[in-house]
Amino acid sequence: METYIEGFIKYLTDIKKSSKNTILSYERDLRKFFSYLESVHIQSIEKVNHTNLNSYVLYMEKENFAPSTVSRNIATLKAYFNFLFKQNRISQDPAQLLKAPKIEKKIPGILTVDQVTLLLSQPSGSSNKEIRDKAMLELLYATGIRVSELISLTVDDLNLTSGYIRVHEGGRERIIPFGTAARQALKNYLDNAREGMIASEDEKSLFTNCNGQPMSRQGFWKVLKQYAKRAGIEEDITPHTLRHSFAAHLVENGADLHAVQEMLGHSDVSTTQMYAKFSNYRIKEVYAKAHPRA
């Protein structure tokens, strides 16, 4: 069965051009599924049927997996068995009729404009670290990119003169503009801090940690938590919070959904539409609080 995983991963990488995070997620889900098959003494993928898959779904629910996790695993199984069927490695697709549990779509955590302004004002010192932190936070909010994309940026991906970055994901590329505040923070970082942080002149990573190595997700998470605490923001803030806030604030101020979709790198505009729903929710919330007869 290991061979079948390798073939599927190669398909996701070479044909589907899926992102690294998506591929890792698929692989992790499949390895958990194969462990389950071993526990019920199924040794061949050809012997897996619809009943086995339903049993696995029930097993996940019994183990108190979150509905979103169960849903993602089902999506993985459907994609995987569809791949095997099209490759003629199985005669029937046992996952074709699998149904994902209904998930209540929650409005993502969004900061207000004032909260974002307060957060971005926290790294105000003249040390290399604070200048770097200011540039990272400004760029993240200015572009709405994922943290994985932020820490993967190289100096060649940045065009300071024209005010845009080039982001690479799963073999695809998108160009995202940024404004004056991010440009000033980045210029300050490049002129006055980056040289003092990199370990070698050959270092291509745009942002490095204090040891001169490329910034990690965990490293950035600590940076964000530090400044959120300093700003007195009590909400549970994650790196994705700035991405959500970026999109919600654009839509709230009349940005075209398809333009926001392009900047975020969403493959389907329906994913981006949740920010329009958030905008409507905010209008209702303001009305309920402010109208005397609400």
Coordinates of all heavy atoms in Angstrom, one line a residue, residues 47-121:
K47 N -9.1 -4.6 -1.4 CA -10.2 -5.3 -0.6 C -11.0 -4.2 0.2 O -12.0 -4.6 0.8 CB -9.6 -6.3 0.3 CG -9.0 -7.5 -0.4 CD -8.4 -8.5 0.6 CE -7.8 -9.7 -0.1 NZ -7.3 -10.7 0.9
V48 N -10.7 -3.0 0.1 CA -11.4 -2.0 0.8 C -12.7 -1.7 0.1 O -12.8 -1.5 -1.1 CB -10.6 -0.6 0.9 CG1 -11.4 0.5 1.5 CG2 -9.3 -0.9 1.7
N49 N -13.8 -1.7 0.9 CA -15.1 -1.5 0.3 C -15.8 -0.3 1.0 O -15.3 0.3 2.0 CB -16.0 -2.7 0.3 CG -16.2 -3.3 1.7 OD1 -16.3 -2.5 2.7 ND2 -16.2 -4.6 1.8
H50 N -17.0 0.0 0.5 CA -17.8 1.2 1.1 C -18.0 1.0 2.6 O -18.0 1.9 3.4 CB -19.1 1.4 0.3 CG -19.9 2.6 0.8 ND1 -19.4 3.9 0.6 CD2 -21.0 2.6 1.5 CE1 -20.3 4.7 1.1 NE2 -21.3 4.0 1.6
T51 N -18.3 -0.3 3.0 CA -18.6 -0.6 4.4 C -17.4 -0.3 5.3 O -17.5 0.3 6.4 CB -19.0 -2.0 4.6 OG1 -20.2 -2.3 3.8 CG2 -19.3 -2.3 6.0
N52 N -16.2 -0.6 4.8 CA -15.0 -0.4 5.5 C -14.8 1.1 5.7 O -14.4 1.6 6.8 CB -13.8 -0.9 4.8 CG -13.8 -2.4 4.5 OD1 -13.4 -2.9 3.5 ND2 -14.3 -3.2 5.5
L53 N -15.0 1.9 4.7 CA -14.9 3.3 4.8 C -15.9 4.0 5.7 O -15.5 4.9 6.5 CB -15.0 4.0 3.4 CG -13.9 3.6 2.3 CD1 -14.2 4.3 1.0 CD2 -12.5 3.8 2.8
N54 N -17.1 3.5 5.7 CA -18.1 4.0 6.6 C -17.7 3.7 8.1 O -17.9 4.5 9.0 CB -19.5 3.4 6.4 CG -20.3 4.2 5.4 OD1 -20.1 5.4 5.3 ND2 -21.1 3.6 4.6
S55 N -17.1 2.5 8.3 CA -16.7 2.1 9.6 C -15.5 3.0 10.1 O -15.5 3.3 11.3 CB -16.2 0.6 9.6 OG -17.2 -0.3 9.2
Y56 N -14.7 3.4 9.1 CA -13.6 4.3 9.5 C -14.1 5.7 9.9 O -13.7 6.3 10.9 CB -12.6 4.4 8.3 CG -11.4 5.3 8.6 CD1 -10.6 5.1 9.7 CD2 -11.2 6.5 7.8 CE1 -9.5 5.9 10.0 CE2 -10.1 7.3 8.1 CZ -9.2 7.0 9.2 OH -8.2 7.8 9.4
V57 N -15.1 6.1 9.2 CA -15.8 7.4 9.5 C -16.4 7.3 10.9 O -16.2 8.2 11.8 CB -16.8 7.8 8.5 CG1 -17.6 9.0 9.0 CG2 -16.2 8.1 7.2
L58 N -17.1 6.2 11.2 CA -17.7 6.0 12.5 C -16.6 5.9 13.6 O -16.8 6.4 14.7 CB -18.5 4.7 12.6 CG -19.8 4.8 11.7 CD1 -20.4 3.4 11.7 CD2 -20.8 5.8 12.3
Y59 N -15.5 5.3 13.3 CA -14.3 5.2 14.2 C -13.8 6.6 14.6 O -13.6 6.9 15.7 CB -13.2 4.4 13.6 CG -11.9 4.6 14.2 CD1 -11.5 4.0 15.4 CD2 -10.9 5.4 13.6 CE1 -10.3 4.2 16.0 CE2 -9.7 5.6 14.2 CZ -9.4 5.0 15.4 OH -8.1 5.2 15.9
M60 N -13.7 7.5 13.6 CA -13.2 8.8 13.8 C -14.2 9.6 14.7 O -13.8 10.3 15.6 CB -13.0 9.6 12.5 CG -11.7 9.1 11.7 SD -11.3 10.2 10.3 CE -12.6 9.7 9.2
E61 N -15.5 9.4 14.4 CA -16.5 10.1 15.2 C -16.5 9.6 16.6 O -16.6 10.4 17.6 CB -17.8 10.0 14.6 CG -18.0 10.7 13.2 CD -19.3 10.4 12.5 OE1 -20.0 9.4 12.9 OE2 -19.6 11.2 11.6
K62 N -16.3 8.3 16.8 CA -16.3 7.7 18.2 C -15.0 8.2 18.9 O -15.1 8.3 20.2 CB -16.2 6.2 18.0 CG -16.2 5.4 19.4 CD -16.2 3.9 19.1 CE -16.2 3.2 20.5 NZ -16.1 1.7 20.3
E63 N -13.9 8.5 18.2 CA -12.7 9.0 18.8 C -12.8 10.5 19.0 O -11.8 11.1 19.4 CB -11.5 8.6 18.0 CG -11.2 7.1 17.9 CD -10.8 6.6 19.3 OE1 -9.9 7.2 19.9 OE2 -11.3 5.5 19.7
N64 N -13.9 11.1 18.8 CA -14.2 12.5 19.0 C -13.3 13.4 18.1 O -12.9 14.5 18.6 CB -14.0 12.9 20.5 CG -15.0 12.2 21.4 OD1 -16.2 12.2 21.1 ND2 -14.5 11.7 22.6
F65 N -13.1 13.0 16.9 CA -12.4 13.8 15.9 C -13.4 15.0 15.6 O -14.6 14.8 15.6 CB -12.2 13.1 14.6 CG -11.0 12.2 14.7 CD1 -10.7 11.3 15.8 CD2 -10.1 12.1 13.6 CE1 -9.6 10.5 15.8 CE2 -9.0 11.3 13.7 CZ -8.7 10.5 14.8
A66 N -12.9 16.2 15.5 CA -13.7 17.3 15.2 C -14.4 17.1 13.8 O -13.8 16.5 12.9 CB -12.8 18.6 15.1
P67 N -15.6 17.6 13.6 CA -16.3 17.4 12.3 C -15.5 17.9 11.2 O -15.5 17.3 10.1 CB -17.6 18.2 12.5 CG -17.8 18.2 14.0 CD -16.5 18.2 14.6
S68 N -14.8 19.0 11.3 CA -13.9 19.5 10.3 C -12.8 18.5 9.9 O -12.4 18.4 8.7 CB -13.3 20.9 10.7 OG -12.6 20.7 11.8
T69 N -12.3 17.8 10.9 CA -11.2 16.8 10.7 C -11.8 15.6 10.0 O -11.1 15.1 9.0 CB -10.6 16.4 12.0 OG1 -10.1 17.5 12.7 CG2 -9.4 15.4 11.8
V70 N -12.9 15.2 10.4 CA -13.6 14.0 9.7 C -13.9 14.4 8.3 O -13.6 13.6 7.3 CB -14.9 13.7 10.4 CG1 -15.6 12.6 9.7 CG2 -14.6 13.2 11.9
S71 N -14.4 15.6 8.1 CA -14.7 16.1 6.7 C -13.5 16.1 5.8 O -13.5 15.7 4.7 CB -15.3 17.4 6.8 OG -15.7 17.9 5.5
R72 N -12.4 16.6 6.4 CA -11.1 16.7 5.6 C -10.6 15.3 5.3 O -10.1 15.0 4.1 CB -10.0 17.4 6.4 CG -8.8 17.8 5.6 CD -7.6 18.1 6.4 NE -7.1 17.0 7.1 CZ -6.9 16.9 8.4 NH1 -7.1 18.0 9.2 NH2 -6.5 15.8 9.0
N73 N -10.7 14.3 6.2 CA -10.3 13.0 6.0 C -11.1 12.3 4.9 O -10.6 11.5 4.0 CB -10.4 12.1 7.2 CG -9.1 12.2 8.1 OD1 -8.2 11.4 8.0 ND2 -9.0 13.3 8.9
I74 N -12.4 12.6 4.9 CA -13.3 12.0 3.9 C -12.9 12.6 2.5 O -12.9 11.9 1.5 CB -14.8 12.3 4.2 CG1 -15.2 11.5 5.4 CG2 -15.7 12.1 3.0 CD1 -16.6 11.8 5.9
A75 N -12.6 13.9 2.4 CA -12.2 14.5 1.2 C -10.9 13.8 0.7 O -10.7 13.6 -0.5 CB -12.0 16.0 1.4
T76 N -10.0 13.5 1.6 CA -8.7 12.8 1.3 C -9.0 11.5 0.7 O -8.5 11.1 -0.4 CB -7.8 12.7 2.5 OG1 -7.5 14.0 3.0 CG2 -6.6 11.9 2.2
L77 N -9.9 10.7 1.3 CA -10.2 9.4 0.9 C -10.9 9.4 -0.5 O -10.6 8.6 -1.4 CB -11.2 8.7 1.9 CG -10.5 8.3 3.2 CD1 -11.6 7.8 4.2 CD2 -9.4 7.4 3.1
K78 N -11.8 10.4 -0.7 CA -12.5 10.5 -2.0 C -11.5 10.8 -3.1 O -11.5 10.2 -4.2 CB -13.6 11.5 -1.9 CG -14.8 11.1 -1.1 CD -15.8 12.2 -0.9 CE -16.7 12.3 -2.2 NZ -17.6 11.2 -2.3
A79 N -10.6 11.7 -2.8 CA -9.6 12.0 -3.8 C -8.6 10.9 -4.1 O -8.3 10.6 -5.3 CB -8.7 13.2 -3.4
Y80 N -8.3 10.2 -3.1 CA -7.3 9.0 -3.2 C -7.9 7.9 -4.0 O -7.3 7.4 -4.9 CB -6.9 8.6 -1.8 CG -6.0 7.4 -1.8 CD1 -4.7 7.5 -2.4 CD2 -6.4 6.2 -1.2 CE1 -3.9 6.4 -2.3 CE2 -5.6 5.1 -1.2 CZ -4.3 5.2 -1.8 OH -3.5 4.1 -1.8
F81 N -9.1 7.5 -3.6 CA -9.8 6.3 -4.3 C -10.2 6.7 -5.7 O -10.2 5.8 -6.6 CB -10.9 5.8 -3.5 CG -10.5 4.9 -2.3 CD1 -10.4 5.4 -1.0 CD2 -10.0 3.6 -2.6 CE1 -10.0 4.6 0.0 CE2 -9.6 2.8 -1.5 CZ -9.6 3.3 -0.2
N82 N -10.5 7.9 -6.0 CA -10.8 8.4 -7.3 C -9.6 8.3 -8.2 O -9.7 7.9 -9.4 CB -11.4 9.8 -7.3 CG -11.7 10.3 -8.7 OD1 -11.0 11.1 -9.3 ND2 -12.8 9.9 -9.2
F83 N -8.4 8.6 -7.6 CA -7.2 8.5 -8.3 C -6.9 7.0 -8.7 O -6.5 6.7 -9.8 CB -6.0 9.1 -7.4 CG -4.7 8.7 -7.9 CD1 -4.0 9.3 -9.0 CD2 -4.0 7.7 -7.2 CE1 -2.8 8.9 -9.4 CE2 -2.7 7.3 -7.5 CZ -2.1 7.9 -8.7
L84 N -7.0 6.2 -7.7 CA -6.8 4.7 -7.9 C -7.7 4.2 -9.0 O -7.3 3.4 -9.8 CB -6.9 3.9 -6.6 CG -6.0 4.2 -5.5 CD1 -6.3 3.3 -4.3 CD2 -4.5 4.0 -5.9
F85 N -9.0 4.6 -8.9 CA -9.9 4.1 -9.9 C -9.6 4.5 -11.3 O -9.6 3.7 -12.3 CB -11.3 4.6 -9.5 CG -12.4 4.1 -10.5 CD1 -12.8 2.8 -10.5 CD2 -13.1 5.0 -11.3 CE1 -13.8 2.4 -11.4 CE2 -14.1 4.6 -12.1 CZ -14.4 3.3 -12.2
K86 N -9.2 5.8 -11.5 CA -8.9 6.3 -12.8 C -7.6 5.7 -13.3 O -7.3 5.7 -14.5 CB -8.7 7.8 -12.7 CG -10.1 8.5 -12.6 CD -10.0 10.0 -12.6 CE -11.3 10.7 -12.7 NZ -11.2 12.2 -12.7
Q87 N -6.7 5.3 -12.4 CA -5.5 4.6 -12.8 C -5.6 3.1 -13.0 O -4.7 2.4 -13.3 CB -4.4 4.8 -11.7 CG -4.0 6.3 -11.5 CD -3.1 6.7 -12.6 OE1 -2.1 6.0 -13.0 NE2 -3.3 7.9 -13.1
N88 N -6.9 2.6 -12.9 CA -7.3 1.2 -13.1 C -6.6 0.3 -12.1 O -6.3 -0.9 -12.3 CB -6.9 0.7 -14.5 CG -7.8 1.4 -15.5 OD1 -9.0 1.6 -15.4 ND2 -7.1 1.9 -16.6
R89 N -6.3 0.8 -10.9 CA -5.7 0.0 -9.8 C -6.7 -0.6 -9.0 O -6.4 -1.6 -8.2 CB -4.7 0.9 -9.0 CG -3.6 1.4 -9.8 CD -2.6 2.2 -8.9 NE -1.5 2.7 -9.7 CZ -0.5 3.4 -9.2 NH1 -0.5 3.7 -7.9 NH2 0.5 3.9 -10.0
I90 N -8.0 -0.1 -9.0 CA -9.1 -0.8 -8.4 C -10.3 -0.8 -9.4 O -10.3 0.0 -10.2 CB -9.5 0.0 -7.1 CG1 -9.8 1.4 -7.3 CG2 -8.5 -0.2 -6.0 CD1 -10.3 2.2 -6.1
S91 N -11.1 -1.8 -9.2 CA -12.2 -2.0 -10.2 C -13.4 -1.1 -9.9 O -14.2 -0.8 -10.8 CB -12.6 -3.4 -10.3 OG -13.0 -3.9 -9.0
Q92 N -13.6 -0.7 -8.6 CA -14.7 0.2 -8.2 C -14.2 1.2 -7.2 O -13.2 1.0 -6.5 CB -15.8 -0.6 -7.6 CG -16.6 -1.5 -8.5 CD -17.7 -2.3 -7.8 OE1 -17.6 -2.6 -6.7 NE2 -18.8 -2.5 -8.6
D93 N -14.8 2.3 -7.2 CA -14.5 3.4 -6.3 C -15.4 3.3 -5.0 O -16.5 3.7 -5.0 CB -14.7 4.8 -6.9 CG -14.3 5.9 -6.0 OD1 -14.0 5.7 -4.9 OD2 -14.3 7.1 -6.5
P94 N -14.8 2.8 -3.9 CA -15.7 2.6 -2.7 C -16.0 3.9 -2.0 O -16.8 3.9 -1.1 CB -14.8 1.7 -1.8 CG -13.4 2.0 -2.2 CD -13.4 2.3 -3.7
A95 N -15.3 5.0 -2.3 CA -15.5 6.3 -1.6 C -16.5 7.2 -2.3 O -16.8 8.3 -1.8 CB -14.1 7.0 -1.4
Q96 N -17.0 6.7 -3.5 CA -17.8 7.6 -4.3 C -19.0 8.2 -3.6 O -19.4 9.3 -3.7 CB -18.2 6.9 -5.6 CG -18.9 7.8 -6.6 CD -19.1 7.0 -7.9 OE1 -19.0 5.8 -8.0 NE2 -19.5 7.8 -8.9
L97 N -19.6 7.3 -2.7 CA -20.9 7.7 -2.0 C -20.7 8.2 -0.6 O -21.6 8.4 0.1 CB -21.9 6.6 -2.1 CG -22.3 6.1 -3.5 CD1 -23.3 4.9 -3.3 CD2 -23.0 7.2 -4.2
L98 N -19.4 8.3 -0.2 CA -19.1 8.8 1.1 C -19.6 10.2 1.3 O -19.4 11.1 0.4 CB -17.6 8.8 1.4 CG -17.0 7.5 2.1 CD1 -15.5 7.8 2.4 CD2 -17.7 7.1 3.4
K99 N -20.2 10.5 2.4 CA -20.8 11.9 2.7 C -20.1 12.5 3.9 O -19.9 11.8 4.9 CB -22.3 11.8 2.9 CG -23.0 11.5 1.6 CD -24.6 11.5 1.9 CE -25.3 11.2 0.6 NZ -26.8 11.2 0.8
A100 N -19.7 13.7 3.8 CA -19.0 14.4 4.9 C -20.1 14.9 5.8 O -21.2 15.2 5.4 CB -18.2 15.5 4.3
P101 N -19.7 15.0 7.1 CA -20.7 15.6 8.1 C -20.9 17.0 7.8 O -20.0 17.7 7.3 CB -20.0 15.4 9.4 CG -18.5 15.3 9.1 CD -18.5 14.6 7.7
K102 N -22.1 17.5 8.2 CA -22.4 18.9 8.0 C -21.6 19.7 9.0 O -21.6 19.4 10.2 CB -23.9 19.2 8.1 CG -24.7 18.7 7.0 CD -26.2 19.1 7.1 CE -27.0 18.6 5.9 NZ -28.4 19.0 6.0
I103 N -20.9 20.8 8.5 CA -20.1 21.6 9.4 C -20.7 23.0 9.4 O -20.9 23.6 8.4 CB -18.7 21.7 8.9 CG1 -18.1 20.3 8.9 CG2 -17.8 22.6 9.8 CD1 -16.7 20.2 8.2
E104 N -20.9 23.5 10.6 CA -21.4 24.8 10.8 C -20.3 25.8 10.5 O -19.3 25.8 11.2 CB -22.0 25.1 12.2 CG -22.5 26.5 12.4 CD -23.0 26.7 13.8 OE1 -23.0 25.7 14.6 OE2 -23.2 27.9 14.2
K105 N -20.4 26.6 9.5 CA -19.3 27.5 9.1 C -19.3 28.7 10.1 O -20.3 29.4 10.3 CB -19.5 28.1 7.7 CG -19.2 27.1 6.6 CD -19.2 27.7 5.3 CE -18.7 26.7 4.2 NZ -18.7 27.3 2.9
K106 N -18.2 28.8 10.8 CA -18.0 29.8 11.8 C -17.4 31.0 11.2 O -16.5 30.9 10.3 CB -17.2 29.3 13.0 CG -17.8 28.2 13.8 CD -16.9 27.8 14.9 CE -17.5 26.6 15.7 NZ -16.7 26.2 16.8
I107 N -17.8 32.2 11.6 CA -17.2 33.4 11.2 C -15.8 33.4 11.7 O -15.6 33.3 13.0 CB -18.0 34.7 11.6 CG1 -19.3 34.7 10.9 CG2 -17.2 35.9 11.3 CD1 -20.2 35.7 11.4
P108 N -14.7 33.6 10.9 CA -13.4 33.5 11.4 C -13.0 34.7 12.3 O -13.7 35.8 12.3 CB -12.5 33.6 10.2 CG -13.4 34.3 9.2 CD -14.8 33.8 9.5
G109 N -12.1 34.5 13.2 CA -11.6 35.6 14.1 C -11.1 36.8 13.3 O -10.2 36.6 12.5
I110 N -11.7 37.9 13.5 CA -11.3 39.1 12.7 C -10.9 40.2 13.7 O -11.7 40.5 14.7 CB -12.4 39.6 11.8 CG1 -12.9 38.5 10.9 CG2 -12.0 40.9 11.0 CD1 -12.0 38.1 9.8
L111 N -9.8 40.9 13.5 CA -9.5 42.1 14.3 C -10.2 43.3 13.7 O -10.3 43.4 12.5 CB -8.0 42.3 14.4 CG -7.2 41.2 15.0 CD1 -5.7 41.5 14.9 CD2 -7.5 41.0 16.5
T112 N -10.5 44.3 14.5 CA -11.0 45.6 14.0 C -9.8 46.3 13.4 O -8.6 46.0 13.7 CB -11.6 46.4 15.1 OG1 -10.6 46.8 16.1 CG2 -12.7 45.6 15.8
V113 N -10.1 47.4 12.7 CA -9.0 48.2 12.1 C -8.2 48.8 13.2 O -7.0 48.9 13.1 CB -9.6 49.3 11.2 CG1 -8.5 50.2 10.7 CG2 -10.3 48.6 10.0
D114 N -8.9 49.3 14.3 CA -8.1 49.9 15.4 C -7.2 48.9 16.1 O -6.1 49.2 16.5 CB -9.1 50.4 16.4 CG -9.8 51.7 15.9 OD1 -9.3 52.3 15.0 OD2 -10.9 52.0 16.5
Q115 N -7.7 47.6 16.2 CA -6.8 46.6 16.8 C -5.6 46.3 16.0 O -4.5 46.1 16.5 CB -7.6 45.3 17.0 CG -8.6 45.4 18.2 CD -9.4 44.1 18.3 OE1 -10.0 43.6 17.3 NE2 -9.6 43.6 19.5
V116 N -5.8 46.2 14.6 CA -4.7 46.0 13.7 C -3.7 47.1 13.8 O -2.5 46.9 13.9 CB -5.2 45.8 12.3 CG1 -4.0 45.8 11.3 CG2 -6.0 44.5 12.1
T117 N -4.2 48.3 13.8 CA -3.3 49.5 13.9 C -2.5 49.5 15.2 O -1.3 49.7 15.2 CB -4.2 50.8 13.9 OG1 -4.9 50.9 12.7 CG2 -3.3 52.0 14.0
L118 N -3.2 49.1 16.3 CA -2.5 49.0 17.6 C -1.4 47.9 17.6 O -0.3 48.1 18.1 CB -3.5 48.7 18.7 CG -3.0 48.7 20.2 CD1 -2.3 50.0 20.5 CD2 -4.1 48.3 21.1
L119 N -1.8 46.7 17.0 CA -0.8 45.6 16.9 C 0.4 46.0 16.1 O 1.5 45.8 16.5 CB -1.5 44.4 16.3 CG -0.7 43.2 16.0 CD1 -0.2 42.6 17.3 CD2 -1.4 42.2 15.1
L120 N 0.2 46.6 14.9 CA 1.3 47.0 14.0 C 2.2 48.1 14.6 O 3.3 48.2 14.1 CB 0.7 47.4 12.6 CG -0.1 46.3 11.9 CD1 -0.4 46.8 10.5 CD2 0.7 45.0 11.8
S121 N 1.7 48.8 15.6 CA 2.5 49.9 16.1 C 3.4 49.4 17.3 O 4.2 50.1 17.7 CB 1.5 51.0 16.7 OG 0.8 50.5 17.8

